[in-house]
Amino acid sequence: CSSLTEITVPASIKTIGQSAFSDCTNANRIYFNAEECNDVSARGSNVFANLGKENLGATLEIGYNVRRIPANLFCVVRTSTLASPNLTSIIFRAYSGTNKCAEIGDYAFAYCENLSSITYATTNVLTSIGAYAFTDCSSLGTVVIPPTVTYIGRKAYSGCANLTEVSFNAENFETGYAGFTSFDTAGEESPNGFNVTVSSKTVCLPDYLFEGAKFLSSVEFDVEEGNLKSVGIGAFEDCVSLRKIELPKKLEKISMGAFAGCTGLQEYVAPFIGGEHYKLSAAENTVFGYVFGTKAKDGATATLQNYGSGMDTYYVPDSLKIVDITVYTNVYFGAFMNCVNLNTVTLRPNTGVIRLERTEFNKKTNTYEVVESIVNGSVVQAMAFSGCKGLATVNFTGSPLTT
């Protein structure tokens, strides 16, 4: 049907067969209104192969009552005679500001290389973006993750080579999965990689969210007013292009290895040292290396850190030179021990006095014990900077220092 310029898929449609709209080469608009359409049977079904091939591109409008975008719907297994649909934009239509689509299926728009624009409704209920949903959509420059999203599948945005911006607005996205690498080659052809802007309403960044995002170059938070409470395990693992991270002051938890393998990181700004915002004594998650994890990484130095009751080897990036702690500045036993590449550490206590504590080794218990207790405010314990061979400066700002 090469003369067809518009295609409407009615609300009642449940199944779309193989090559149903193949070779509609002059189509420039598709109205997809099927409210509960079944998944297309396979990636080789080529439902919209060669769509819009003879024009400047086609726009897909998704009706406000559509509950889900079927898996494989616009995915074409390309050959010498079959091209991916020339789909350039997607618009989620709304009624009273709301679109009811909750799921984008696996491979739904995979390989739509000319897709450059996705517009969501003001209010939507989208919770799931499937595996490979937008993989190899190489013209996509901006990605918006709506507030209601709680799942992003394996390699969902992999191969979005010209990606420059991700607006992460998901408010309660709690669970991620190792190995999904949803953004692994995104931004590969962008001169400066891609930036992520995290909404001030986002409460948590899930485990492994940006794992393997090699071209993620910067992350922006609302540092003063953002409501982010936690950063998950491996959330930024192997983000090797990340040069600086500045985390919100209201943050309460950073999981083990959240920044593992960030071997280009030069400056780290956080409201506390280690993994938890308020601790009364030294522990595994009060040492600096905790956020970089215990997995060996190229470009990271094996850093043995003793926290009194035990010790672990963490892999702190060789590139990291500057650390700035902005709110909770208790520096417990061994906090920066053996961080040999650090050059400058700045502590900005927001309460009371900094007190340097004295710690002694108890041979009977085989542990270090504090023999002088906190009087008020922040604390810097013994051996906190032991072995920091490259450290030139420790700055204390905002409060007098007593010993």
Side-chain angles (χ1 to χ4, degrees):
C1 297
S2 58
S3 298
L4 202 60
T5 58
E6 292 187 356
I7 298 169
T8 299
V9 180
S12 58
I13 293 294
K14 300 294 185 185
T15 302
I16 300 177
Q18 183 171 347
S19 302
F21 299 101
S22 183
D23 290 325
C24 294
T25 54
N26 282 290
N28 56 40
R29 192 164 293 268
I30 306 101
Y31 300 94
F32 186 82
N33 298 317
E35 295 180 6
E36 295 183 359
C37 188
N38 298 319
D39 288 336
V40 173
S41 59
R43 278 182 284 150
S45 294
N46 302 325
V47 173
F48 287 97
N50 297 328
L51 177 82
K53 184 178 178 180
E54 301 298 329
N55 59 34
L56 296 177
T59 295
L60 169 65
E61 295 192 22
I62 298 169
Y64 65 85
N65 269 332
V66 172
R67 300 317 198 258
R68 62 189 301 272
I69 308 300
N72 305 310
L73 183 61
F74 285 89
C75 177
V76 170
V77 177
R78 291 168 287 191
T79 68
S80 59
T81 58
L82 293 176
S84 293
N86 187 15
L87 191 65
T88 56
S89 61
I90 301 171
I91 301 170
F92 286 78
R93 289 299 180 195
Y95 179 76
S96 298
T98 301
N99 182 282
K100 296 180 180 179
C101 183
E103 176 187 357
I104 298 174
D106 296 351
Y107 290 94
F109 300 101
Y111 316 126
C112 290
E113 60 208 25
N114 293 318
L115 178 62
S116 60
S117 171
I118 304 170
T119 305
Y120 293 101
T122 303
T123 303
N124 62 76
V125 297
L126 184 66
T127 58
S128 177
I129 298 171
Y132 301 89
F134 295 98
T135 196
D136 284 354
C137 290
S138 55
S139 296
L140 203 56
T142 300
V143 165
V144 175
I145 308 298
T148 49
V149 168
T150 58
Y151 177 85
I152 299 176
R154 183 184 300 275
K155 296 189 181 295
Y157 295 97
S158 176
C160 293
N162 286 288
L163 187 67
T164 60
E165 180 69 30
V166 174
S167 295
F168 188 85
N169 301 322
E171 295 178 9
N172 291 291
F173 191 154
E174 295 183 356
T175 305
Y177 300 92
F180 271 26
T181 57
S182 301
F183 293 87
D184 63 346
T185 57
E188 184 174 12
E189 295 180 12
S190 298
N192 298 307
F194 72 96
N195 173 71
V196 172
T197 301
V198 179
S199 167
S200 63
K201 295 181 180 180
T202 296
V203 175
C204 55
L205 292 179
D207 298 347
Y208 306 105
L209 176 62
F210 292 104
E211 177 194 10
K214 296 187 289 292
F215 303 98
L216 170 57
S217 58
S218 60
V219 183
E220 296 179 16
F221 298 94
D222 184 339
V223 173
E224 298 294 334
E225 301 298 331
N227 289 301
L228 188 70
K229 300 301 182 188
S230 66
V231 179
I233 299 168
F236 294 95
E237 185 167 350
D238 295 332
C239 291
V240 295
S241 297
L242 200 57
R243 298 292 179 259
K244 177 182 178 178
I245 193 77
E246 184 172 4
L247 296 165
K249 292 181 178 180
K250 294 181 182 179
L251 188 67
E252 297 178 357
K253 179 182 179 183
I254 305 173
S255 295
M256 166 78 86
F259 297 97
C262 291
T263 51
L265 193 64
Q266 298 171 1
E267 185 174 356
Y268 178 85
V269 183
F272 49 85
I273 300 164
E276 194 168 339
H277 75 305
Y278 185 71
K279 295 286 287 187
L280 294 176
S281 60
E284 176 192 26
N285 63 353
T286 61
V287 293
F288 181 65
Y290 181 84
V291 301
F292 299 105
T294 58
K295 287 190 277 186
K297 299 285 185 179
D298 290 339
T301 296
T303 305
L304 181 64
Q305 296 201 285
N306 187 327
Y307 42 87
S309 60
M311 63 180 70
D312 280 298
T313 298
Y314 303 98
Y315 287 83
V316 179
D318 297 341
S319 58
L320 185 57
K321 305 298 181 185
I322 300 171
V323 174
D324 194 336
I325 306 301
T326 57
V327 182
Y328 301 93
T329 54
N330 288 338
V331 187
Y332 289 117
F333 183 87
F336 290 100
M337 181 182 284
N338 295 326
C339 290
V340 296
N341 292 304
L342 291 186
N343 178 266
T344 304
V345 174
T346 300
L347 304 172
R348 305 176 189 274
N350 65 343
T351 58
V353 187
I354 297 177
R355 188 175 185 87
L356 297 177
E357 287 197 340
R358 188 161 53 87
T359 309
E360 292 181 354
F361 187 72
N362 186 326
K363 293 182 179 179
K364 292 182 179 180
T365 61
N366 202 38
T367 61
Y368 286 88
E369 296 177 353
V370 176
V371 295
E372 186 177 346
S373 60
I374 301 172
V375 174
N376 183 33
S378 300
V379 55
V380 180
Q381 286 188 350
M383 299 185 75
F385 296 97
S386 174
C388 293
K389 297 177 181 179
L391 191 61
T393 306
V394 178
N395 298 314
F396 296 94
T397 66
S399 175
L401 172 65
T402 64
T403 61

